[in-house]
């Protein structure tokens, strides 16, 4: 195609003629009788010269694409207008370039922005009464009109850019001359094709070729290009995806093909061949938002990303600015979602528990050391209910679950896994014991610290006198163990492995409940309910905190344990790992945001104890019992974690983590948290298998990395010699042991020894143990009775021995 002449004389002539024509147009509107007078022309030229010449050209809204962590798997798209600019004219098929000129501007490469003959012709025609109105807008003028609309900062400016007035025409003509001076013809054509509307939610040729033909614009055929070029005139009327619009769109295509022959873009034979082809219309609008993700189960992750984006001040000072930037900024966003891990979580969340169940099974996966959220899944459909479909009505008790139910099943768009918008979280039970363990370690209390765990512990915490958790007739908090078999002396390994309540409540009391709450907050636990916020203010009396009575989310829980797995490095949960703008510039906002919140040794010691509940004894031989013993064998990697339930199994939780992934699962009823329905850990419908099966599948192909064991100081503490108390009175034995810095328990069982009955027979343990630990005094029952010698029998005289009666 020829480049048009840019010489000064040509442009000056264009300006002069435009000015004269403008004068004619203006005068004709006001004084028809003098429309062609020299006075009108002179006035028009002066008016035209007075128009502004600098058009501020803004970029049209661009669609933002969300991709998985592999950088290629689509997750979602978000846009106000489905548009992706083409950077080079060569990326648009020549047939498309020719087709748009045949449809809109035959002389595009000949004029200088304004078709002078067309303006004059349209003026004369439109001045005649009853004549069919003609337009004279060149493709450059059309581009100017669209550019003004997209650059407008006020709705009134948008109206002014598109209203059918003489002033608007004059402005377009003046700016068109400027544009022709500033850009090459190919550049103007590229910009026009990027900004034009093609209907069906497609703006720009990239979106149009994808929506209608599912291909890039460089691959468009002549017939396809002609159809798309024809849509620009009336996108809604000519919509080929509708029964009424299809025939009109085909007819308009054939008209464009005929015009392509007229401008020598194609031959008559090529036009007839293109006309004979039947358009294969895909007609699929680009998915928009989280209810229309690439895979339905990915909606909860997408929603988490959207909520994260809306909180980032770097994207704008207001929520409106942030949303507009996301939906018009043309970003390529590589999220942290790993398809392999997400797929594993999706399958596990729905296994043996359909979306129609009242129980919500929710799984979150976080990468230790980065905070990258690798998966979020639930046995719910992330979508809105269809109000016209009775099958999608909430399966809720209308007397209790009125409008606005939080976890409607099967459909919901509430942030069940991440919190917000009324979702305050769920009680996570004994998984919270890890925070007491951390606080104790921070105070220097070692893993070997022992406490005599009774079946019921009378604490110093004050609660309501009539509370079920109060000791009979008192106002003291008196927790019990899940079963009597937990009674006895425990260290942190065995107490955490068996989840001994009456070990952790006294340990919390020793450390200070406020320190335990502080440890939880450092690991990312937040408080959302008013009840929890009130308890936080008086944290020193929050006796039940260690048992997991406050509310949290699967994401927070996974990240708290991930912090320990990363040697105490807390990383803010983040759903993105790379963001690039349309120019390919990388934004640094996607970088991990981490800080050391727990000392490395404390974190390693906490993980060492956390290996016990999930059956991993690779690091220590101090484990005794496990609440989820088969996790280690199923995951087949070094693993740590903890299970938890609340009263009457209203919720059930499990965390299991390797060095690469931390998986937290919670089962609860989001609509009715105090439901009597039992949430369990059982194989059929519980929370345990989904958690460890997700971790197992996530670890496929990953190296098996062991946790680093802690130093001996936090494992065994300040080791001191236990005094020798053998054969002294029990009272004197107690005095010696307490004086050495140990706690004392006197065994109720008597043991045989050489010491007098009622005196101390010895201790358990013996030798050395950590300062402050429990030393049990074994009480002697006295020496064992001496065996008696059998009485000799006289030799019988008859020869046969005497027979003894049978037993």
């Amino acid at each position: 195609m020829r480049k048009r002449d840019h010489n000064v004389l040509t442009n000056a002539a264009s300006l002069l003629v435009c000015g004269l024509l403008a004068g004619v147009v203006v005068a004709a509107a006001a004084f028809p009788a003098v429309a062609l007078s020299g006075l009108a022309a002179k006035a028009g030229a002066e008016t035209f010269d007075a128009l502004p010449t600098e058009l501020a050209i803004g970029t049209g809204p661009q669609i933002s694409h969300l991709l998985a962590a592999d950088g290629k798997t689509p997750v979602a798209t978000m846009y106000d207008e489905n548009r992706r600019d083409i950077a080079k004219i060569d990326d648009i098929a020549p047939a498309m370039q020719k087709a748009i000129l045949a449809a809109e501007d035959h002389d595009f490469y000949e004029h200088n922005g304004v078709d002078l003959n067309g303006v004059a012709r349209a003026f004369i025609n439109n001045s005649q009464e009853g004549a069919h109105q003609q337009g004279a807008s060149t493709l450059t003028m059309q581009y100017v009109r669209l550019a003004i609309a997209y650059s407008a900062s006020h709705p009134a400016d948008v109206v002014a850019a598109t209203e059918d007035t003489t002033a608007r025409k004059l402005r377009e003509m003046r700016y068109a001359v400027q544009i022709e001076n500033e850009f090459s013809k190919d550049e103007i054509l590229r910009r026009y094709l990027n900004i034009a509307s093609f209907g069906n939610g497609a703006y720009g040729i990239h979106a149009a070729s994808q929506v209608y033909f599912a291909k890039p614009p460089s691959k468009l055929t002549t017939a396809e290009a002609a159809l798309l070029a024809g849509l620009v005139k009336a996108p809604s009327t000519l919509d080929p995806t509708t029964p009424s619009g299809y025939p009109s769109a085909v007819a308009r295509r054939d008209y464009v093909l005929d015009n392509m022959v007229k401008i020598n873009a194609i031959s008559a034979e090529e036009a007839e061949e293109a006309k004979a082809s039947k358009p294969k219309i895909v007609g699929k609008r680009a998915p928009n938002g989280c209810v229309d993700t690439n895979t339905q189960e990915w909606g909860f992750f997408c929603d988490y990303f959207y909520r994260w984006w809306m909180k980032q001040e770097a994207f704008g000072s207001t929520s409106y600015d942030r949303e507009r930037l996301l939906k018009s900024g043309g970003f390529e966003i590589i999220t942290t979602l790993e398809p392999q891990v997400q797929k594993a979580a999706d399958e596990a969340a729905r296994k043996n528990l359909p979306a129609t169940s009242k129980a919500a099974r929710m799984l979150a996966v976080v990468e230790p050391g980065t905070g990258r959220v690798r998966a979020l899944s639930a046995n719910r459909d992330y979508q809105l209910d269809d109000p016209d479909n009775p099958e999608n009505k909430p399966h809720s008790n209308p007397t209790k679950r009125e409008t606005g139910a939080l976890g409607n099943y099967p459909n919901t768009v509430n942030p069940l896994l991440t919190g917000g918008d009324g979702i305050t979280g769920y009680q996570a039970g004994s998984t919270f014991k890890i925070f007491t363990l951390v606080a104790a370690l921070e105070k220097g209390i070692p893993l070997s610290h022992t406490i005599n765990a009774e079946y019921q512990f009378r604490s110093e915490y004050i609660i309501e006198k009539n509370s079920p958790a109060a000791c009979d007739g008192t106002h003291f908090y008196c927790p019990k163990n899940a079963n009597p078999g937990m009674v006895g002396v425990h260290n942190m390994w065995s107490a955490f492995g068996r989840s001994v309540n009456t070990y952790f409540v006294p340990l919390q009391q020793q450390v200070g409940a406020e320190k335990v709450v502080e440890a939880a907050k450092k690991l990312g636990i937040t408080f959302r309910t008013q009840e929890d916020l009130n308890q936080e203010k008086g944290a020193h009396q929050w006796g039940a905190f260690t048992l997991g009575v406050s509310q949290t989310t699967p994401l927070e829980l996974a990240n708290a344990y991930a912090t320990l797995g990363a040697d105490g490095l807390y990383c803010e949960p983040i759903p993105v790992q790379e963001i690039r703008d349309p120019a390919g510039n990388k934004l640094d906002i996607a970088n991990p945001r981490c800080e050391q919140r727990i000392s490395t040794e404390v974190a390693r010691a906490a993980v060492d104890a956390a290996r016990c509940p999930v059956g991993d004894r690779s690091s220590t031989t101090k484990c005794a019992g496990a609440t989820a013993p088969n996790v280690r064998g199923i995951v087949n990697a070094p693993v740590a974690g903890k299970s938890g339930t609340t009263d009457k199994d209203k919720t059930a939780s499990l965390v299991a983590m390797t060095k690469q992934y931390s998986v937290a699962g919670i089962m609860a009823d989001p609509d009715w948290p105090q439901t009597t329905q039992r949430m369990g850990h059982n194989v059929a419908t519980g929370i345990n298998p989904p958690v460890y099966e997700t971790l197992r599948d996530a670890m496929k192909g990953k190296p098996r990395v062991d946790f680093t064991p802690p130093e001996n100081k936090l494992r065994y503490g300040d080791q001191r010699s236990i005094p020798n108390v053998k054969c002294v009175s029990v009272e004197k034995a107690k005095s010696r042991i307490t004086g050495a810095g140990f706690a004392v328990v006197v065994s109720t069982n008597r043991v045989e020894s050489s010491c007098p009955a009622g005196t101390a027979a010895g201790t358990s343990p013996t030798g050395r143990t950590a300062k402050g630990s429990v030393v049990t005094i074994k009480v002697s029952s006295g020496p064992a009775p001496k065996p008696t010698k059998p009485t000799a029998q006289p030799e019988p005289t008859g020869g046969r021995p005497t027979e003894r009666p049978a037993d």
Side-chain angles (χ1 to χ4, degrees), residues 23-44:
V24 172
V25 173
V26 172
F31 309 102
V34 296
L36 299 178
S37 70
L39 178 62
K42 182 175 184 298

Side-chain angles (χ1 to χ4, degrees), residues 428-444:
S430 292
T431 60
F432 266 44
K433 288 172 181 169
I434 194 72
F435 306 128
T436 305
L437 199 149
V438 167
L441 291 166
E442 288 184 318
K443 197 171 180 178

Side-chain angles (χ1 to χ4, degrees), residues 494-511:
S494 65
F496 201 66
R498 300 188 66 186
S499 199
V500 182
N501 294 342
T502 60
Y503 178 95
F504 280 95
V505 174
L507 181 63
Q508 175 183 266
Q509 186 172 283
Q510 181 179 347
V511 173

Side-chain angles (χ1 to χ4, degrees), residues 557-570:
L557 193 60
N559 198 51
Y561 276 74
T563 300
L564 299 175
D567 290 342
L569 184 69
Y570 171 84

Side-chain angles (χ1 to χ4, degrees), residues 717-798:
D718 180 7
Q719 292 281 308
R720 296 192 175 188
S721 296
I722 300 171
N724 181 7
V725 296
K726 191 170 184 179
C727 297
V728 304
S729 69
V730 171
E731 289 303 315
K732 182 176 286 189
K734 288 170 64 176
S735 178
R736 287 184 183 179
I737 292 170
T738 55
F742 304 108
V744 177
V745 169
V746 179
S747 175
T748 57
N749 297 322
R750 300 294 179 102
V751 296
E752 294 178 349
S753 78
S754 59
C755 296
T759 63
T763 62
S764 177
T766 60
R768 300 172 65 85
T769 192
K771 177 184 176 182
S773 290
V774 171
V775 174
T776 301
I777 298 174
K778 297 187 287 187
V779 181
S780 174
S781 62
K786 294 181 179 181
T788 58
K789 292 182 179 181
T791 304
Q793 297 292 326
E795 194 68 27
T797 57

Side-chain angles (χ1 to χ4, degrees), residues 609-632:
R611 302 179 78 159
C612 296
V614 289
D616 189 342
R617 302 190 179 191
S618 304
S619 173
T620 176
T621 59
K622 301 295 183 180
C623 294
T627 54
N630 52 354
V631 174
R632 174 64 173 87

Side-chain angles (χ1 to χ4, degrees), residues 323-594:
E323 185 169 38
R324 293 282 70 76
L325 184 63
L326 173 61
K327 294 184 177 180
S328 64
F331 296 102
E332 181 176 86
I333 302 164
I334 298 178
T335 70
T336 57
L337 181 148
E338 285 190 3
Q340 172 183 322
V341 183
Q342 182 69 46
K343 182 176 183 292
D346 292 337
E347 291 177 353
R350 293 170 180 266
K351 187 175 182 180
N352 300 318
L353 195 69
T356 52
S357 170
K358 292 182 180 181
R361 184 190 278 157
M362 301 161 284
L363 301 171
V365 185
V366 176
E367 182 178 82
T370 66
R372 288 171 175 162
V373 180
R374 295 307 189 184
L376 291 171
S377 190
N379 64 322
R380 290 282 193 274
D381 297 329
Y382 187 87
Q383 63 183 44
L384 296 166
D385 282 336
D386 178 0
D388 297 325
N389 185 354
E391 300 243 343
N392 283 334
K393 296 296 182 183
H395 298 261
S396 307
N397 182 341
T399 63
K400 293 183 178 179
R401 307 183 191 203
E402 298 174 352
T403 58
L406 301 177
N408 276 359
Y409 49 96
N411 302 330
T412 185
V413 292
N414 285 305
L416 301 183
L417 297 101
T418 57
D421 284 354
I423 298 294
T424 55
Y426 323 92
Q427 293 182 348
S430 292
T431 60
F432 266 44
K433 288 172 181 169
I434 194 72
F435 306 128
T436 305
L437 199 149
V438 167
L441 291 166
E442 288 184 318
K443 197 171 180 178
I445 301 173
L447 295 173
S448 60
H449 179 70
T450 54
I451 294 175
N452 184 39
E454 305 167 294
Y455 176 64
Q456 184 175 40
F457 172 69
R458 181 186 175 112
S459 77
E460 297 175 2
Y461 297 116
I462 297 174
I463 60 174
E464 293 183 10
K465 193 170 184 178
N466 296 324
S467 169
C471 299
D472 294 338
T474 73
H475 53 253
F476 293 108
Y477 175 53
C478 292
K480 298 177 181 179
N481 287 320
N483 63 70
M486 296 178 176
V487 170
V489 176
H490 288 276
N491 56 32
M492 290 189 197
W493 287 292
S494 65
F496 201 66
R498 300 188 66 186
S499 199
V500 182
N501 294 342
T502 60
Y503 178 95
F504 280 95
V505 174
L507 181 63
Q508 175 183 266
Q509 186 172 283
Q510 181 179 347
V511 173
E514 67 278 7
K515 294 295 184 182
V516 176
V517 172
E518 181 183 332
K521 291 167 66 176
K522 285 194 293 185
L523 289 166
I525 301 299
T526 58
F527 304 115
R528 297 179 179 85
T529 68
Q530 192 57 53
E531 181 181 0
D532 285 351
L533 291 170
N534 291 340
Q535 289 277 27
E536 182 191 5
K537 292 177 183 178
H540 66 285
Q541 279 293 332
W542 203 349
F545 181 78
T546 189
L547 304 186
V549 295
S550 67
Q551 298 189 15
T552 189
T553 65
L555 180 60
E556 283 185 354
L557 193 60
N559 198 51
Y561 276 74
T563 300
L564 299 175
D567 290 342
L569 184 69
Y570 171 84
C571 297
E572 176 186 319
I574 191 169
V576 295
Q577 58 190 46
E578 187 174 298
I579 301 176
R580 293 188 180 273
D581 65 17
N585 300 313
K586 185 177 178 181
L587 281 62
D588 61 5
I589 194 170
N591 298 329
R593 307 168 186 183
C594 305

